[in-house]
Amino acid sequence: MTPHHGVCTVFPILDEYEGIAVAKTERFSFDFGISRILAVAAISSSLAGCAGFIPLDAPDAVATHTNAALVTEPTTPLAYALMPVNPAVLQATNGFTDSSGKIFSRLPGGNYRDVTIGIGDIVTVTVYEAQAGGLFIPREAGVRPGNFVDIPRQQVDQSGNINIPYAGSIKVAGLTPRAVSNIIRERLKDRAIDPQAVVSVAEQRGNQISVLGEVNSPQRFPVDPGGIRLMGAIARAGGPKYPSYESTITIKREGRTYNESMSTIVHNPSEDVLLAPGDVVFLTRIPRVYMVFGSTPSPGSIGGTNNRRFSFENDNMSLAEAIAKAGGLDGNRADSKSIYVYRFEPKPLLERIGIDVSQFPTKTIPAVYKFDMSKPDGWFQADTFRMRDHDVISVAESPSTEFIKLMNPLNAASVNADNISSVVVNSK
């Protein structure tokens, strides 16, 4: 066959080699080795002309580069810190992992304990006098029982005020019922007989907290006297739908939002803060994940997991657990001396370890932790190393693997050549 330019030509090897065999019979005396060389050459030339013939699921590198309107110059490699793990490094990074995310305890306005009156609340006021014949109690005995008068319930207006007969308009929003009682008494003391006032909130409509999102019973409810803590509010809303290590809590307060993992609050009681009126608590399911690449079992071969992205199954997952969930190391390919964990670390952490970070202009530094799991202490370190959300694990290949990869197609080609040669010899 004659190959055409730009067209993939697949040689009908059997026919060609039958022709070759005839030619050999008539003209030459080829030995078995030359037949094998011709077979391999036929296969190679066939595959060389197949660009555009073999189906692809995406453009290859050549097509992508060739069709680009502009190709920019390659950038310099990203600078990163490579740190073989030792006890000092392990202690520093785990300490940061345990302390990260503690922000709720620093929220402004988190010491709310006294229930104050808010706009929209329904307020009741009762005024007492020491004896009859005063401002509110008539002199005639038997006209009415008791020495008090109930003022009709009022809703605190948009300006935060209520009206009390003979005391006028009183701004009550933001004050406690006890403080409002004192104001009413002061305004009536010159007109009533030793007046006393009792103020209470019949319905709280302004000082309320909302708990929404991934809870079993989203609710909006008033703040209890003495305040209510975050976990208590979530419990009142039926608790979270998902485990703590998959739940993220967002608190919206005074126009700002604050986020923290529920696991952090569970393990740090100081993060279980008192809520303030108007707070909105929102629970979101955000599973923490990590990725595993390199010389681990192929996706789908372990437990049917057909990817390399795995979710955390507890609050604190170690590197050893993470690798085990991915199927462990591939005994035929993995270099157990070179297990890497990629993540971004803050500058102060690396400075604490003793690394010179002056060459890094950013606040966070690409960091790579190296584990040698060919020794027992490497396994102990891996079982102690705390994983974080979106960590990347890379298991390097053994140096011999590249050689094996190179030899596999050559061996396959040799087997094919042997088969073709057998056909050629048998056709003589």
Side-chain angles (χ1 to χ4, degrees), residues 344-347 360 362-366:
F344 286 90
E345 295 285 21
K347 275 187 176 181
F360 297 97
T362 57
K363 294 182 179 179
T364 58
I365 298 173

Side-chain angles (χ1 to χ4, degrees), residues 269-307:
S270 62
E271 298 300 301
D272 187 15
V273 294
L274 285 165
L275 297 177
D279 279 355
V280 176
V281 178
F282 196 92
L283 270 69
T284 308
R285 186 192 183 197
I286 306 179
R288 293 185 297 164
V289 299
Y290 64 93
M291 284 69 71
V292 182
F293 300 96
S295 300
T296 58
S298 301
S301 62
I302 301 298
T305 302
N306 197 28
N307 58 52

Side-chain angles (χ1 to χ4, degrees), residues 352-413:
R352 197 179 311 143
I353 298 173
I355 295 177
D356 181 12
V357 296
S358 58
Q359 62 176 309
F360 297 97
T362 57
K363 294 182 179 179
T364 58
I365 298 173
V368 182
Y369 295 91
K370 180 182 178 181
F371 293 81
D372 182 358
M373 297 181 69
S374 66
K375 301 177 181 178
D377 59 346
W379 288 88
F380 285 111
Q381 290 171 349
D383 194 38
T384 308
F385 185 85
R386 303 274 182 85
M387 296 291 292
R388 297 187 204 154
D389 187 26
H390 279 79
D391 275 351
V392 176
I393 302 172
S394 175
V395 180
E397 288 190 337
S398 173
S400 62
T401 304
E402 293 300 324
F403 177 74
I404 295 174
K405 286 182 178 179
L406 175 64
M407 294 303 298
N408 284 337
L410 296 179
N411 290 335

Side-chain angles (χ1 to χ4, degrees), residues 11-354:
F11 290 91
I13 296 172
L14 181 61
D15 293 342
E16 290 291 332
Y17 276 92
E18 289 175 349
I20 292 174
V22 171
K24 288 191 297 181
T25 302
E26 295 176 353
R27 299 182 183 182
F28 304 102
S29 176
F30 288 99
D31 60 12
F32 181 73
I34 295 177
S35 298
R36 177 180 296 182
I37 293 173
L38 290 173
V40 173
I43 296 173
S44 300
S45 60
S46 298
L47 295 178
C50 286
F53 178 78
I54 298 176
L56 300 173
D57 58 1
D60 60 13
V62 174
T64 302
H65 193 277
T66 303
N67 289 278
L70 174 65
V71 180
T72 61
E73 293 296 326
T75 59
T76 57
L78 177 67
Y80 60 88
L82 177 60
M83 297 173 289
V85 173
N86 56 47
V89 171
L90 193 62
Q91 182 179 6
T93 185
N94 282 346
F96 181 81
T97 302
D98 293 338
S99 63
S100 60
K102 297 179 181 179
I103 60 173
F104 282 177
S105 57
R106 301 191 294 270
L107 289 181
N111 294 322
Y112 180 84
R113 290 185 179 276
D114 293 327
V115 178
T116 59
I117 299 173
I119 295 174
D121 287 352
I122 305 298
V123 177
T124 62
V125 179
T126 302
V127 178
Y128 292 81
E129 286 191 276
Q131 62 185 33
L135 182 62
F136 294 99
I137 310 302
R139 185 179 300 275
E140 295 81 5
V143 174
R144 61 180 303 282
N147 61 336
F148 62 89
V149 60
D150 289 323
I151 296 174
R153 301 195 332 171
Q154 299 181 63
Q155 185 173 25
V156 179
D157 63 24
Q158 190 64 34
S159 300
N161 299 328
I162 62 171
N163 291 298
I164 302 298
Y166 305 106
S169 179
I170 300 175
K171 189 172 185 62
V172 299
L175 300 178
T176 63
R178 183 183 294 276
V180 177
S181 298
N182 293 334
I183 293 174
I184 295 174
R185 181 176 60 80
E186 286 296 320
R187 292 196 182 185
L188 295 177
K189 68 180 181 179
D190 295 332
R191 308 187 66 175
I193 302 173
D194 192 14
Q196 302 291 323
V198 175
V199 178
S200 62
V201 178
E203 296 181 27
Q204 281 190 324
R205 298 181 179 178
N207 294 329
Q208 293 194 334
I209 294 169
S210 300
V211 183
L212 309 171
E214 299 295 345
V215 291
N216 290 301
S217 180
Q219 287 193 25
R220 187 168 185 260
F221 50 85
V223 180
D224 296 331
I228 185 171
R229 293 191 177 275
L230 174 61
M231 298 300 283
I234 295 175
R236 184 176 290 187
K241 288 184 178 179
Y242 300 99
S244 60
Y245 55 84
E246 291 188 354
S247 300
T248 297
I249 299 176
T250 300
I251 296 180
K252 180 179 179 182
R253 176 178 294 176
E254 298 177 355
R256 300 187 64 182
T257 57
Y258 308 86
N259 300 295
E260 193 167 289
S261 169
M262 192 171 184
S263 293
T264 303
I265 302 167
V266 171
H267 295 290
N268 299 277
S270 62
E271 298 300 301
D272 187 15
V273 294
L274 285 165
L275 297 177
D279 279 355
V280 176
V281 178
F282 196 92
L283 270 69
T284 308
R285 186 192 183 197
I286 306 179
R288 293 185 297 164
V289 299
Y290 64 93
M291 284 69 71
V292 182
F293 300 96
S295 300
T296 58
S298 301
S301 62
I302 301 298
T305 302
N306 197 28
N307 58 52
R308 292 190 176 275
R309 181 176 181 269
F310 301 90
S311 299
F312 281 54
E313 292 183 345
N314 48 41
D315 290 335
N316 297 309
M317 176 172 279
S318 69
L319 173 61
E321 289 178 295
I323 294 177
K325 187 173 181 180
L329 306 182
D330 188 333
N332 295 321
R333 299 165 52 215
D335 180 5
S336 60
K337 295 181 179 180
S338 302
I339 314 297
Y340 302 98
V341 176
Y342 294 74
R343 65 166 59 145
F344 286 90
E345 295 285 21
K347 275 187 176 181
L349 172 60
L350 300 190
E351 290 174 344
R352 197 179 311 143
I353 298 173

